[in-house]
Amino acid sequence: MSQASIESVSRESRVFPPQADFARDARVGTRQAYDEMHRRSLEDPDGFWLELARELHWFRAPTQGLDWSGAPHAKWFADGTTNLAYNCLDRHLGPSASGLAGPNKAALIFEGEPGDVQVLTYRQLHREVCRFSNVLGKLGVEKGDRVAIYMGMVPEAVIAMLACARIGAVHTVIFGGFAAEAVRDRVNDAQAKVVVTQDGAWRRGQVVPLKENVDRALAETPGVRHTVVLRRTGNPVAMEPGRDHFWHDVIESVSAKHEAAQLDAEHPLFILYTSGTTGKPKGVLHTTGGYMVGTYATSRYVFDLQPNDTYWCTADVGWVTGHSYIAYGPLANGATCMLYEGAPNHPDPGRFWSIIERHGVSILYTAPTAIRAFVKWGDRYPMAHDLSSLRLLGTVGEPINPEAWMWYRRVIGNERCPIVDTWWQTETGAMMMTPLPGAIATKPGSCCVPFFGVSAKVLREDGTEAGPNEGGLLVVDRPWPSMMRTVWGDDQRFADTYWSRFPGLYFTGDGARRDEDGYFWVMGRVDDVVNVAGHRLGTAEVESALVAHRSVAEAAVVGRPDALKGQALVAFVTVKAGELPTKELKALLLEHVAQEIGKFARPDDIRFTDTLPKTRSGKIMRRLLKEVASGGEVKGDMTTLEDLSVLAKLRADDE
Ligand code: ATP
Ligand code: MG
């Protein structure tokens, strides 16, 4: 094993072939069919993607696929003109609609945290988007202008996004859990002219005062001309005359007719700031045509969307998953999408399962962090509900520990639903590696194989390709339609971050290995690799060994400087409901890791904790834990940390 690679210690060997009944009706129903399509997508990428693009509506059909002459800035379908909102709405209204949808089909099924339910058909959603497009026009928003959307999970958030896309304004959605400073920084960085928000959002029965946060942010955002404020919670808000407008007021006086702008394929669609697991958030810029085709195609094939599906992605619209797989991808396919406003454990930890039962959800797409929380809360919550409507499960956001995957399969999927573990990033716009549920046998913890048009490799530090099961750096070695185009306002950072590590190749920042079957296993971020007594380890595998113990719900492993070994491993562990964090358990866990992996991977220290520091998108922030573990000062950007008190607590436990 060379120093240049990351040692893999995982011994996962379970394999689950697609069920015959699922495969029979699936879009891609055999491994061979996947292989053929994938081969074709690489041999003739332009032909492959243009064909998929033509399933969508273009005002002027593209004749060009990729233009890579300005590398690393890709252009896709550059001579075509289209509109993503038109494809998500108008396309489904005509008599010869897409096949999946029709004007009276439900587009959004919204459930508020207090329990209110609202259904918007494609016709109704179209009408609301047209009206809001006219509102934006009246407020002086022009093509190319930026609009910030700082809202909770309400249909109007999706309406505002689609309205921006419809008129060619560039939205930047700011996650509703962010505080005023984070709003200010993002609004200023994007130079937004208008901010769309709401009085407050419901979260665990409490009101999150969004408008109040906006007021504080706007004290230092000279570029903002107007705000539009949706009434949701009814809490009192200050309204500045001339600047602030209630949604229900401004929507009254506009027409419900609006013609979608004909936009160049490369017209900017949105800026989204990444969640900030690793440092200062970057404004990732996506454009119209390539992103549209990428999210359309992945939604169609990976979720295997069928006319009667009720699809639910539990991510927040404030993250890329919410952009690509709540809004654009599924709507471009004419799917029925569930949208839930609140917390998974309100009023009790059975809320998700109750939603699935009552609305007949058939596809569930959620995050490992949520799955681990469900494991921690206990099986009795899902067991109390009828989940038989489910036919497909998905995950995204972090490597999923194999035991959490098995739990998802057994308790939620009743050993019947395929699981698609989808690896992708804000930067990639759409899923990059994932099983296709009817075609690819799955392995717990593996994101399996590249999607069509994707060519990924695992490299050693020196750029040579790693061998089977040898961990290394994950790169993508050819352009794909939904790839980011630049970092907003900082093109140099785009070049430096993604394109300089291996010239000509897109560097993901993640470590991975590819097994003897060609399956990819993401081992976590390269920054999180630890070096213990000559072993370079990705932390995810040690974490998975801990999570495999029946008392453990969640674990984060980081390195701390150690005079003898280079680095020593420190594990932060959360136990399941009903388990006690005792000294005896600590000893058992150390022994367990030694057994599962080997003595060298046995943590030097295990610290029990109720919660781990997470980003607001729910990802473990190992960067902060590293600093806690080494007793140093916790520095760096913390605006994305979900709960500051978690850090204070971890440090207090330390003393
Ligand atoms: P930042 O880049 O600002 O630090 P982030 O990387 O957490 O934030 P995202 O773009 O939301 O922001 O997350 C992408 C990352 O999430 C991937 O690079 C990978 O580390 C992880 N990830 C996402 N999906 C998976 C998956 N299915 N398996 C393993 N890791 C995943
Ligand atoms: Mg990232």
Side-chain angles (χ1 to χ4, degrees):
M1 180 77 48
S2 87
Q3 265 298 311
S5 46
I6 308 167
E7 195 167 327
S8 173
V9 292
S10 159
R11 293 176 195 164
E12 183 53 56
S13 60
R14 290 167 285 200
V15 184
F16 297 91
Q19 272 100 321
D21 54 341
F22 193 101
R24 193 185 52 229
D25 302 323
R27 283 215 161 69
V28 183
T30 62
R31 170 78 206 210
Q32 190 194 355
Y34 158 81
D35 285 337
E36 274 164 24
M37 274 179 88
H38 189 254
R39 185 174 341 107
R40 186 177 157 232
S41 72
L42 295 188
E43 278 169 11
D44 176 20
D46 285 354
F48 180 88
W49 286 113
L50 280 167
E51 196 175 292
L52 264 169
R54 281 188 210 111
E55 293 180 15
L56 293 156
H57 177 84
W58 296 79
F59 299 106
R60 190 172 68 227
T63 62
Q64 236 176 303
L66 168 69
D67 173 357
W68 194 226
S69 58
H73 302 97
K75 288 185 183 156
W76 281 89
F77 316 117
D79 61 346
T81 60
T82 188
N83 186 292
L84 182 43
Y86 186 101
N87 275 290
C88 290
L89 301 168
D90 307 54
R91 194 169 79 88
H92 309 309
L93 301 185
S96 62
S98 64
L100 276 187
N104 293 323
K105 180 176 173 176
L108 294 179
I109 302 177
F110 168 72
E111 179 163 313
E113 197 185 72
D116 50 321
V117 171
Q118 187 194 352
V119 179
L120 282 166
T121 63
Y122 272 93
R123 194 196 304 283
Q124 290 168 324
L125 185 61
H126 173 258
R127 181 182 156 85
E128 295 311 315
V129 170
C130 285
R131 292 169 87 197
F132 202 68
S133 301
N134 286 325
V135 166
L136 291 176
K138 251 179 99 171
L139 295 178
V141 178
E142 289 172 13
K143 192 167 132 178
D145 285 347
R146 271 80 61 205
V147 172
I149 300 173
Y150 176 60
M151 302 181 85
M153 291 282 285
V154 290
E156 287 80 359
V158 178
I159 292 169
M161 289 164 74
L162 288 164
C164 289
R166 193 169 183 89
I167 65 175
V170 181
H171 60 66
T172 182
V173 181
I174 304 169
F175 171 56
F178 277 130
E181 302 71 51
V183 176
R184 178 199 59 201
D185 293 348
R186 287 161 175 76
V187 164
N188 282 334
D189 190 76
Q191 299 156 290
K193 223 171 160 177
V194 166
V195 179
V196 186
T197 186
Q198 57 194 73
D199 49 1
W202 289 117
R203 192 75 187 170
R204 291 195 183 88
Q206 305 288 311
V207 172
V208 183
L210 295 181
K211 174 62 164 71
E212 202 180 302
N213 292 344
V214 166
D215 288 339
R216 265 187 286 140
L218 261 52
E220 297 170 79
T221 57
V224 174
R225 299 275 169 273
H226 295 283
T227 75
V228 180
V229 184
L230 174 78
R231 264 228 176 282
R232 171 65 187 148
T233 47
N235 54 311
V237 287
M239 297 291 281
E240 195 180 299
R243 186 193 72 179
D244 298 343
H245 317 271
F246 277 117
W247 182 297
H248 59 262
D249 286 336
V250 282
I251 207 86
E252 276 312 311
S253 55
V254 295
S255 150
K257 287 208 163 51
H258 183 273
E259 213 167 296
Q262 306 198 2
L263 304 170
D264 289 339
E266 284 300 329
H267 185 74
L269 177 67
F270 66 80
I271 301 165
L272 182 61
Y273 293 86
T274 58
S275 59
T277 313
T278 45
K280 180 179 179 281
K282 309 174 265 281
V284 170
L285 180 76
H286 283 286
T287 57
T288 303
Y291 176 84
M292 170 173 85
V293 175
T295 54
Y296 166 79
T298 44
S299 301
R300 198 167 187 79
Y301 286 103
V302 179
F303 295 133
D304 191 51
L305 288 169
Q306 303 290 344
N308 290 326
D309 275 321
T310 298
Y311 158 86
W312 184 20
C313 166
T314 71
D316 195 280
V317 286
W319 310 121
V320 74
T321 306
H323 285 54
S324 301
Y325 299 112
I326 290 178
Y328 293 118
L331 294 176
N333 276 283
T336 294
C337 306
M338 185 74 219
L339 186 70
Y340 169 56
E341 177 178 40
N345 55 355
H346 188 84
D348 67 53
R351 184 64 181 263
F352 272 23
W353 320 121
S354 152
I355 289 175
I356 290 171
E357 178 173 8
R358 282 180 292 108
H359 297 283
V361 172
S362 57
I363 303 174
L364 175 68
Y365 190 38
T366 192
T369 191
I371 296 169
R372 292 186 305 252
F374 301 140
V375 171
K376 182 177 161 186
W377 293 332
D379 295 7
R380 67 189 177 96
Y381 294 103
M383 304 276 255
H385 294 275
D386 176 3
L387 304 181
S388 60
S389 58
L390 287 171
R391 67 179 198 95
L392 175 63
L393 305 174
T395 77
V396 60
E398 289 181 291
I400 182 165
N401 316 110
E403 280 330 305
W405 192 102
M406 291 301 293
W407 181 91
Y408 197 28
R409 176 180 154 83
R410 181 170 52 80
V411 179
I412 307 306
N414 197 17
E415 319 223 344
R416 182 175 49 78
C417 304
I419 298 178
V420 289
D421 174 356
T422 62
W423 177 89
W424 60 293
Q425 309 178 300
T426 307
E427 295 88 337
T428 69
M431 297 160 180
M432 298 294 278
M433 294 202 281
T434 171
L436 297 186
I440 304 293
T442 53
K443 305 185 183 187
S446 168
C447 58
C448 299
V449 295
F451 186 70
F452 303 134
V454 174
S455 167
K457 290 207 161 68
V458 177
L459 301 185
R460 303 189 181 106
E461 299 279 344
D462 63 6
T464 55
E465 202 169 340
N469 288 316
E470 182 183 341
L473 311 177
L474 180 65
V475 301
V476 183
D477 67 359
R478 54 159 81 204
W480 65 100
S482 63
M483 67 200 290
M484 74 182 285
R485 300 305 197 251
T486 188
V487 173
W488 177 259
D490 195 351
D491 194 47
Q492 193 56 47
R493 192 169 175 201
F494 173 62
D496 292 347
T497 309
Y498 306 104
W499 299 97
S500 66
R501 183 69 186 72
F502 301 106
L505 306 182
Y506 172 81
F507 176 48
T508 64
D510 285 345
R513 72 181 161 98
R514 205 171 178 185
D515 70 17
E516 56 287 350
D517 299 324
Y519 277 49
F520 286 87
W521 300 73
V522 173
M523 300 163 75
R525 292 155 201 287
V526 173
D527 297 345
D528 294 335
V529 168
V530 284
N531 199 330
V532 185
H535 300 274
R536 291 184 79 227
L537 299 175
T539 51
E541 293 184 339
V542 186
E543 289 162 5
S544 288
L546 285 162
V547 172
H549 189 278
R550 58 174 179 75
S551 303
V552 174
E554 187 158 52
V557 171
V558 297
R560 156 184 90 196
D562 183 276
L564 224 56
K565 299 200 256 186
Q567 276 179 305
L569 291 181
V570 181
F572 295 83
V573 170
T574 305
V575 294
K576 286 184 192 166
E579 300 287 339
L580 291 176
T582 57
K583 258 206 181 112
E584 290 70 36
L585 179 60
K586 214 179 249 194
L588 281 174
L589 291 179
L590 291 175
E591 195 40 44
H592 175 75
V593 174
Q595 291 249 317
E596 292 276 306
I597 301 178
K599 280 200 175 129
F600 67 94
R602 195 160 57 182
D604 292 78
D605 192 1
I606 289 186
R607 301 197 196 169
F608 292 113
T609 167
D610 290 342
T611 31
L612 294 167
K614 308 243 173 96
T615 61
R616 288 165 198 274
S617 56
K619 301 185 191 201
I620 300 171
M621 278 176 110
R622 293 181 189 75
R623 170 168 69 86
L624 300 186
L625 286 172
K626 240 180 267 179
E627 287 159 4
V628 172
S630 45
E633 196 192 328
V634 177
K635 300 181 291 279
D637 187 280
M638 273 190 284
T639 52
T640 59
L641 180 64
E642 195 205 356
D643 181 0
L644 265 176
S645 68
V646 173
L647 251 196
K649 240 181 129 239
L650 282 168
R651 293 172 63 82
D653 291 348
D654 200 18
E655 274 141 29

